[in-house]
Amino acid sequence: MADQIQKIVTGLPDLKDVTGVWAVADSRVAQGDAAFAADLGIALARTHGTGGQMWQYRSVFDHLLRLLATTTGPENVAQALRLVSSAEVASTKLDRYTASLLASSHEATDLAVAFTGRASEELRACLVHELVLRGVVVEEMPGIAGWATSPHWSHHPLGWLPLTLSDMERSADLPSYSIRGSGHSMPYGPSESRELAVITSARVPSAEETTTQASATAMAKAVANWAEESNGRIEARVFDFAEPVDAQLVPNALLTLGLECLGGVGKKTALSVAGLPLAQAWRVLFAAASTGGAYNSGSYGAYGRLAAWQSLAALAGSPEGATAGEAEAGVRDCVWHGFGADTKWFEQVAWDIGLAALAPGRRRLAVLAATDTD
């Protein structure tokens, strides 16, 4: 086996097509030799995993990881964990990706080994919430419950999240993985809710912008990856009105705020606004955070869940330091709207989001718009 691995490692840079290497690994794993795939991945990383990382290495390594992580069986899980825990490849980003792969493809009972064997704390934390997203009651899972409910990891960012799904999270679009690739839904575009019209004779109270850098950053958590890793742009702003604003007047209010994303809306460019169920608002933000924009793969399920919660909480005006329960209560008290327009700001390709949250008391309106293109 060592000779075959060394031959592959040495010849990899000269290959014009790596499907032959894929086939060798597929055959060995099918025969029950999962260790071969892990050994090959580690050997490849040791020789080719630094610097620019040539395309042959990236392609083969990803195939090996997907092969182990999506093929059922406890030995494949164990070898996938050994591969990503090796010193040659270990990284936070890889842990997040691996947790998503494993949770999508294996029974929770087979994944308990990650909490007793060789796995980083980051991978374990991600795996807990990837499983939660898939409806697993982690607090009752032997081998997982002890770690998931222990206080030692409460300082971890994911430790803020509840270990059970709220009602609004049950519509999460989770990716499906295979050796050859992945797929996911994109819940962007026109709302299915009743569309609200601009009331021409209505008076909108005067508004003062109260956006701070901190509030803008927090509201944009779910879509930040679109701007940081792709071609996206974001507008996140907060306004306080002098008098309460009726929910039916949100379309009118949006037109008075000087939003960049709605620049040019008028007789020839219509504004589309609709009441939005909270579950749909969460679904949109979770997809944006977990699966990414046009040119990136997002933060995967665990951190996608966290970012969606953070954006919703900030849009609702939850105070800093609020618990997840307190944040959820504030989010539920808001009236949510989705909006869009065929303006020059929105790319109108596939990745367009417009959300508005009218807080209790109807004087605070928070707006988040995001767009991306390939």
Side-chain angles (χ1 to χ4, degrees), residues 192-259:
E192 297 178 358
S193 303
R194 181 171 60 87
E195 187 164 322
L196 304 174
V198 173
I199 303 174
T200 56
S201 60
R203 182 185 71 86
V204 177
S206 60
E208 176 186 1
E209 182 165 6
T210 57
T211 313
T212 64
Q213 184 60 53
S215 64
T217 299
M219 289 188 293
K221 284 283 187 180
V223 291
N225 69 85
W226 291 16
E228 294 168 357
E229 301 171 0
S230 191
N231 297 317
R233 55 177 168 266
I234 301 165
E235 185 172 13
R237 298 167 71 178
V238 183
F239 301 88
D240 286 347
F241 290 89
E243 301 171 25
V245 176
D246 189 274
Q248 294 292 320
L249 293 182
V250 167
N252 295 65
L254 289 171
L255 292 177
T256 68
L257 300 177
L259 296 170

Side-chain angles (χ1 to χ4, degrees), residues 100 129-130 133-134 174 286 290 299-306:
S100 186
H129 288 285
E130 292 282 359
L133 284 164
R134 288 161 175 81
L174 299 171
F286 173 73
S290 62
S299 302
Y300 306 106
Y303 278 90
R305 186 186 184 209
L306 178 62

Side-chain angles (χ1 to χ4, degrees), residues 16 24 35-36 42 46 51 73 85 106 155 162 176 193 204 207-208 220-221 231 273 280 299 302-303 337 347 359:
K16 305 299 183 184
V24 170
F36 174 86
I42 293 170
R46 187 178 297 126
S85 300
H106 296 271
H155 66 281
S176 60
S193 303
V204 177
E208 176 186 1
K221 284 283 187 180
N231 297 317
V273 184
Q280 179 64 9
S299 302
Y303 278 90
H337 293 80
E347 297 288 355

Side-chain angles (χ1 to χ4, degrees), residues 1 35 59 95 97 119 134 155 205 219 234 255 267 274 307 321 354 365:
M1 181 173 72
S59 179
D95 284 338
Y97 176 42
R134 288 161 175 81
H155 66 281
M219 289 188 293
I234 301 165
L255 292 177
K267 293 181 179 180
L365 185 68

Side-chain angles (χ1 to χ4, degrees), residues 93 184 186 188 223-233 287-300 347 349-351 371-374:
K93 186 173 183 179
H184 59 83
M186 294 178 63
Y188 314 125
V223 291
N225 69 85
W226 291 16
E228 294 168 357
E229 301 171 0
S230 191
N231 297 317
R233 55 177 168 266
S290 62
T291 62
Y295 277 113
N296 67 315
S297 54
S299 302
Y300 306 106
E347 297 288 355
V349 176
W351 300 270
T371 189
D372 195 14
T373 187
D374 53 13

Side-chain angles (χ1 to χ4, degrees), residues 34-373:
F36 174 86
D39 288 340
L40 176 58
I42 293 170
L44 288 170
R46 187 178 297 126
T47 302
H48 303 297
T50 57
Q53 293 190 353
M54 58 189 186
W55 71 267
Q56 294 95 328
Y57 166 75
R58 294 194 303 271
S59 179
V60 172
F61 184 89
D62 186 65
H63 182 87
L64 294 171
L65 177 56
R66 282 178 178 267
L67 175 63
L68 292 171
T70 64
T71 303
T72 57
E75 180 59 19
N76 294 316
V77 173
Q79 293 301 328
L81 293 171
R82 183 169 74 89
L83 173 58
V84 299
S85 300
S86 63
E88 290 82 359
V89 302
S91 72
T92 296
K93 186 173 183 179
L94 188 61
D95 284 338
R96 298 175 184 181
Y97 176 42
T98 302
S100 186
L101 289 170
L102 289 170
S104 73
S105 307
H106 296 271
E107 295 295 325
T109 50
D110 286 342
L111 298 177
V113 65
F115 299 88
T116 57
R118 193 172 183 178
S120 69
E121 294 290 273
E122 179 71 8
L123 193 152
R124 290 171 177 170
C126 291
L127 192 52
V128 162
H129 288 285
E130 292 282 359
L131 291 172
V132 169
L133 284 164
R134 288 161 175 81
V136 176
V137 184
V138 294
E139 295 158 296
E140 299 177 2
M141 286 300 304
I144 300 177
W147 192 91
T149 59
S150 65
H152 84 276
W153 75 293
S154 60
H155 66 281
H156 192 283
L158 295 176
W160 182 84
L161 289 169
L163 292 177
T164 55
L165 287 180
S166 66
D167 291 342
M168 68 180 179
E169 296 178 283
R170 298 188 187 280
S171 60
D173 295 293
L174 299 171
S176 60
Y177 296 103
S178 70
I179 300 174
R180 302 301 178 189
S182 61
H184 59 83
S185 299
M186 294 178 63
Y188 314 125
S191 169
E192 297 178 358
S193 303
R194 181 171 60 87
E195 187 164 322
L196 304 174
V198 173
I199 303 174
T200 56
S201 60
R203 182 185 71 86
V204 177
S206 60
E208 176 186 1
E209 182 165 6
T210 57
T211 313
T212 64
Q213 184 60 53
S215 64
T217 299
M219 289 188 293
K221 284 283 187 180
V223 291
N225 69 85
W226 291 16
E228 294 168 357
E229 301 171 0
S230 191
N231 297 317
R233 55 177 168 266
I234 301 165
E235 185 172 13
R237 298 167 71 178
V238 183
F239 301 88
D240 286 347
F241 290 89
E243 301 171 25
V245 176
D246 189 274
Q248 294 292 320
L249 293 182
V250 167
N252 295 65
L254 289 171
L255 292 177
T256 68
L257 300 177
L259 296 170
E260 292 181 21
C261 62
L262 298 183
V265 169
K267 293 181 179 180
K268 293 184 178 180
T269 303
L271 169 66
S272 172
V273 184
L276 202 64
L278 175 56
Q280 179 64 9
W282 188 89
R283 182 178 176 231
V284 165
L285 291 171
F286 173 73
S290 62
T291 62
Y295 277 113
N296 67 315
S297 54
S299 302
Y300 306 106
Y303 278 90
R305 186 186 184 209
L306 178 62
W309 272 79
Q310 290 171 327
S311 283
L312 278 181
L315 284 163
S318 296
E320 185 177 351
T323 65
E326 292 167 341
E328 183 178 356
V331 164
R332 290 188 182 280
D333 286 340
C334 291
V335 179
W336 293 87
H337 293 80
F339 70 90
D342 188 11
T343 65
K344 292 182 179 180
W345 194 91
F346 284 108
E347 297 288 355
Q348 298 290 327
V349 176
W351 300 270
D352 292 309
I353 292 173
L355 291 175
L358 185 63
R362 297 180 286 123
R363 289 175 179 265
R364 178 185 184 274
L365 185 68
V367 178
L368 174 65
T371 189
D372 195 14
T373 187

